[in-house]
């Protein structure tokens, strides 16, 4: 199943689709307010900070994955039922929706991301619903993936020895010229920079699969090569994993990302171009 669904396809399948609204943006706390003001009919709000992450120690990064049981309980609280098609969307360039897609997919759920998000839905004249929606408890059963599909700080240190470690942050953060959030500027030694903007269009959609594949190939992340990705705190890395899926690349994710690496004493830091 292709990981993306178009707004026109969703409109035709709306009645049988379970929708998750994952509006979130770094530094903002009004995702739920934006959802209440207008969302796709039937959508249930997903709290990225509460449901798709957990509170951890500094060395775990800003957005560690939730416990497997906690994620499964959240999916049932969202009303997700067995066998129901699930689509997730947001209003921020499909970034938080990609985190939801990745977290749920690795737990065994078939889920797709609305290509273009909320803006694409409005562009096709989709109906808008307002207010809060409290769904009936779902009966979905998620798997317990544990460490499947992820790497930790120790693995990130050695990953470039046998594969390609991708840094999805903007080039100036990768080079260490600026660091607006974390305590140290720079990148993990041996990592290759593939800014997420390289796989997105100007209006925040994914580029064609062939263009994404070319971007991956350009930094050595070719088909068959072991690939892992990190970013600032694990959200954008999940979006790069979704891009990889579109292009036929399997991409593991370092959930702690630079926020974990830079808060772990003794970890080396590289700066400048690769």
């Amino acid at each position: 199943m292709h990981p993306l669904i178009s707004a026109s396809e969703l409109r035709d399948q709306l009645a049988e689709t379970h929708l998750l609204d994952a509006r979130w943006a770094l530094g903002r706390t009004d995702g739920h307010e934006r959802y209440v003001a207008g969302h796709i009919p039937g959508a249930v709000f997903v709290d990225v900070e509460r449901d798709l992450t957990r509170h951890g120690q500094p060395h775990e990064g800003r957005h560690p994955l939730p416990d497997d049981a906690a994620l499964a309980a959240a999916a049932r609280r969202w009303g997700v039922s067995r066998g129901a098609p699930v689509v997730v969307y947001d209003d921020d360039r499909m970034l938080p929706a990609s985190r939801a897609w990745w977290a749920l997919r690795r737990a065994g759920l078939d889920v797709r991301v609305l290509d273009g998000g909320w803006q694409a839905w409005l562009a096709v004249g989709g109906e808008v619903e307002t207010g809060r929606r409290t769904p009936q408890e779902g009966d979905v059963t998620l798997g317990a993936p544990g460490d499947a599909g992820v790497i930790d700080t120790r693995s990130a240190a050695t990953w470039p020895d046998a594969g390609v470690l991708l840094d999805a942050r903007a080039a100036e953060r990768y080079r260490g010229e600026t660091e607006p959030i974390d305590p140290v500027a720079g990148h993990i030694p041996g990592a290759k920079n593939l800014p997420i903007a390289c796989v997105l269009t100007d209006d925040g959609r994914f580029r064609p699969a062939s263009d994404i594949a070319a971007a991956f190939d350009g930094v050595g992340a070719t088909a068959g090569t072991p690939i892992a990705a990190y970013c600032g705190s694990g959200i954008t890395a999940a979006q790069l994993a979704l891009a990889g899926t579109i292009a036929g690349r399997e991409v593991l994710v370092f959930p702690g990302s630079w926020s974990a690496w830079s808060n772990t004493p003794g970890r080396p830091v590289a700066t400048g171009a690769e």
Side-chain angles (χ1 to χ4, degrees), residues 44 50-52 66-80 104 107 135-143:
V44 176
R50 185 186 73 172
D51 298 330
L52 297 176
D67 296 333
D68 292 341
L71 181 62
R76 290 189 291 271
R77 189 173 66 249
W78 302 329
V80 180
L104 293 169
Q136 182 177 351
E137 185 87 0
D139 63 0
V140 71
T141 300
L142 298 186

Side-chain angles (χ1 to χ4, degrees), residues 199-212:
V199 300
L200 299 174
T201 62
D202 291 341
D203 62 351
R205 300 187 184 221
F206 285 102
R207 295 185 182 277
S210 58
D211 291 353
I212 296 174

Side-chain angles (χ1 to χ4, degrees), residues 9-57:
E9 288 177 305
L10 177 60
R11 187 171 53 184
D12 293 340
Q13 303 170 24
L14 192 61
E16 62 266 21
T17 300
H18 193 87
L19 282 166
L20 302 177
D21 184 311
R23 283 185 240 198
W24 170 89
L26 186 64
R28 295 182 64 170
T29 59
D30 61 346
H32 187 257
E33 287 76 9
R34 301 202 306 275
Y35 161 81
V36 170
H39 54 263
I40 299 175
V44 176
F45 181 70
V46 172
D47 189 323
V48 171
E49 294 284 354
R50 185 186 73 172
D51 298 330
L52 297 176
T53 68
R54 61 175 170 81
H55 294 293
Q57 298 300 313

Side-chain angles (χ1 to χ4, degrees), residues 71-158:
L71 181 62
R76 290 189 291 271
R77 189 173 66 249
W78 302 329
V80 180
S81 298
R82 298 174 186 171
V86 177
V87 171
V88 60
Y89 72 94
D90 61 50
D91 61 359
D92 188 26
R93 298 170 64 85
M94 296 182 285
L95 178 59
S98 295
R99 168 71 172 219
W101 168 86
W102 176 71
L104 293 169
R105 178 175 175 267
R106 65 184 290 272
L109 188 67
D110 288 332
V111 57
R112 303 171 79 182
V113 171
L114 175 59
D115 191 14
W118 173 242
Q119 294 83 353
W121 178 256
L122 296 178
V124 299
E127 295 183 17
V128 175
E129 181 178 76
T130 60
R132 296 172 174 82
R133 175 177 285 268
T134 303
Q136 182 177 351
E137 185 87 0
D139 63 0
V140 71
T141 300
L142 298 186
D147 294 332
V150 303
I151 65 170
D152 59 14
T153 303
R154 182 175 298 180
S155 296
T158 59

